[in-house]
Amino acid sequence: MDKEPEELVYIKVTASKLLISCSVDTHENYLSRYAYFSLAQLMYYDTEYDFEDYYWPDFFDQKTGESKYLMIHKSKDNLHVSSKVRYKGFYKPKKQLPVISQNSVPLRKAVPCIQEQPPKETHVILGFCLADSNNEWYRTNHYPFLVPYTGILNKAKTEVRSFTIYVLNETKLPEIDLTDEQQKLVEICFDMSKIALVASPAYKDEASKLAEKREQNQYNFNKLFELWQKALPLLSGRLYTHYSYTYGMRNVKGKPRRSCMVACSFSSETPEICFLWKDMGDYYKLELRVRLSGKIHQIQYYYNTAFFAMLFYNPRRYALLNSVIDSELLVFFQKSQFQLLVLKKHYDDDFKEFVDRLRTGYGFIDK
């Protein structure tokens, strides 16, 4: 009602509870209509709602009620809270962190490069494309896999002028002589395509079915990584390799779209994950980096391709990671531009255990 006095609704989010109160009526057994309608407005038509955006324990000054770490935007219908750009990646107590195995994986040695030469008597080539997609967005999403394609070179044979078709089975192979290495790589590609599709949750899936799909997806993910390791010695150094963001498996068919095919290369070296640890006064900063060719590099965070690290200054050169755990770490840190911050009052407990495990398996540079 227009003539009603304004009342205040208070919301506090903890690691396990949602606390709500109001300036009138609300107590432990009763929710005022103001509190009820505030919650209904936040949730809109959803039956579930994630209140994590309002979970910022100890981030506000108790005296002023303000925060140097957060941006707070009030609109007519809502309240938006997010970290400032420079403070992106703050850890919140009890938030799930990646599980770090106690058994470290030995660093894979650099593989020899293929010394591929342009064909002498034809302009038709067999190339290989890293087919990539975001496995959370689309019904036909998939993990990154390698798919052969046929194409026609330009007159100078320096680049692919046009793309003919994705080679999804042996009947689509071009009528050219393939080397033993090409034939082996094609077979690996076919094995990849059989397990690359992600099993997505379906409407009204029961918990047991969801668990089954998650288990199958993880198995396929691990198997794909093994196949990428087998493919790398047959792939690194090839002249005709491309990257394509497919927007789902449904588009990996027929003729590749030239506008989506981006020339790329595959490093023969293995990126070694390492961390920078900085004391920033009232918080710590943990930054993920990779060591490649004896130097420490920043990683490109605009692209997130599982299994690979892409250096900031050369995002189209793909370096195959050393292990599945490395891949999971990159996916986790990529969400916050490869930095993780923690208030010192939140450091002891889960976060300290996480850092201690990282220190046992990865290089640390304390600054």
Side-chain angles (χ1 to χ4, degrees):
M1 301 292 182
D2 292 339
K3 295 182 179 180
E4 285 187 323
E6 182 181 80
E7 303 294 347
L8 300 177
V9 174
Y10 307 91
I11 291 177
K12 181 176 181 179
V13 181
T14 71
S16 59
K17 296 179 181 178
L18 171 66
L19 307 176
I20 185 166
S21 185
C22 181
S23 54
V24 295
D25 294 340
T26 297
H27 53 77
E28 61 182 5
N29 297 317
Y30 180 79
L31 198 65
S32 74
R33 63 189 179 95
Y34 303 102
Y36 173 82
F37 285 121
S38 295
L39 285 177
Q41 185 168 314
L42 282 173
M43 298 180 69
Y44 200 47
Y45 292 110
D46 298 324
T47 56
E48 296 180 356
Y49 187 81
D50 187 353
F51 283 88
E52 186 184 343
D53 288 347
Y54 302 95
Y55 175 50
W56 294 97
D58 304 313
F59 284 86
F60 291 88
D61 187 299
Q62 293 296 318
K63 295 181 180 180
T64 65
E66 298 179 351
S67 174
K68 68 177 183 180
Y69 307 110
L70 306 177
M71 294 185 296
I72 303 170
H73 175 69
K74 299 177 183 177
S75 64
K76 181 180 179 181
D77 300 321
N78 215 325
L79 179 69
H80 304 276
V81 185
S82 60
S83 59
K84 295 178 180 178
V85 174
R86 65 176 296 192
Y87 297 121
K88 189 174 181 64
F90 252 117
Y91 168 75
K92 301 176 185 180
K94 303 303 179 183
K95 184 176 181 180
Q96 187 172 359
L97 293 163
V99 177
I100 308 300
S101 173
Q102 295 280 24
N103 302 319
S104 59
V105 179
L107 192 67
R108 186 180 62 246
K109 294 181 179 180
V111 301
C113 289
I114 295 292
Q115 301 298 320
E116 189 172 26
Q117 300 296 323
K120 293 181 179 180
E121 299 181 0
T122 181
H123 282 72
V124 178
I125 56 92
L126 179 72
F128 296 89
C129 175
L130 167 53
D132 190 21
S133 184
N134 185 320
N135 61 32
E136 297 178 355
W137 286 0
Y138 305 102
R139 180 68 59 183
T140 60
N141 51 32
H142 60 81
Y143 295 124
F145 71 104
L146 195 65
V147 56
Y149 64 83
T150 57
I152 301 174
L153 298 177
N154 61 4
K155 187 175 182 180
K157 297 185 177 181
T158 55
E159 60 182 38
V160 181
R161 185 190 70 196
S162 61
F163 300 90
T164 310
I165 195 170
Y166 281 121
V167 179
L168 302 178
N169 54 62
E170 292 189 358
T171 64
K172 303 295 185 181
L173 285 170
E175 295 182 358
I176 58 176
D177 293 330
L178 300 182
T179 65
D180 290 342
E181 289 84 1
Q182 283 178 315
Q183 187 62 51
K184 290 178 182 177
L185 190 52
V186 166
E187 292 172 2
I188 293 174
C189 291
F190 292 164
D191 288 341
M192 284 186 177
S193 65
K194 295 174 184 176
I195 58 174
L197 189 66
V198 175
S200 302
Y203 181 60
K204 291 186 177 179
D205 265 350
E206 295 182 355
S208 59
K209 186 64 175 179
L210 291 173
E212 180 184 331
K213 287 183 177 181
R214 283 194 296 268
E215 184 177 348
Q216 185 63 50
N217 285 338
Q218 188 62 56
Y219 175 84
N220 290 347
F221 186 89
N222 296 350
K223 190 65 179 178
L224 273 168
F225 184 76
E226 293 177 10
L227 291 172
W228 273 109
Q229 291 185 94
K230 290 182 179 179
L232 187 62
L234 306 169
L235 182 64
S236 181
R238 290 204 174 275
L239 295 177
Y240 313 114
T241 51
H242 286 76
Y243 169 94
S244 177
Y245 193 88
T246 67
Y247 296 95
M249 187 72 84
R250 61 187 177 183
N251 298 316
V252 186
K253 61 182 180 180
K255 182 178 181 179
R257 295 180 61 182
R258 180 178 175 83
S259 60
C260 296
M261 299 289 277
V262 181
C264 70
S265 61
F266 294 87
S267 173
S268 62
E269 297 181 85
T270 304
E272 182 180 3
I273 287 181
C274 60
F275 293 92
L276 306 183
W277 179 255
K278 301 178 181 179
D279 187 330
M280 307 299 291
D282 49 358
Y283 67 93
Y284 296 116
K285 177 188 285 189
L286 179 66
E287 296 178 296
L288 187 149
R289 298 287 188 268
V290 294
R291 184 180 283 110
L292 200 64
S293 301
K295 297 181 179 180
I296 294 177
H297 303 273
Q298 285 185 279
I299 307 176
Q300 173 59 261
Y301 53 78
Y302 292 110
Y303 306 99
N304 176 20
T305 299
F307 309 135
F308 295 95
M310 296 83 76
L311 304 188
F312 194 84
Y313 66 89
N314 190 4
R316 291 307 180 189
R317 183 165 178 80
Y318 293 88
L320 183 64
L321 294 166
N322 191 52
S323 67
V324 169
I325 294 297
D326 285 5
S327 175
E328 292 172 350
L329 273 177
L330 249 69
V331 169
F332 178 79
F333 275 86
Q334 188 267 345
K335 296 174 183 177
S336 56
Q337 300 180 7
F338 296 105
Q339 71 174 22
L340 198 57
L341 316 179
V342 59
L343 292 176
K344 288 185 175 179
K345 60 179 65 179
H346 296 159
Y347 176 67
D348 291 325
D349 201 15
D350 291 350
F351 200 89
K352 183 179 184 303
E353 181 180 347
F354 174 64
V355 172
D356 289 343
R357 286 181 176 269
L358 287 178
R359 285 184 179 275
T360 62
Y362 298 95
F364 260 70
I365 301 172
D366 295 292
K367 292 196 170 184

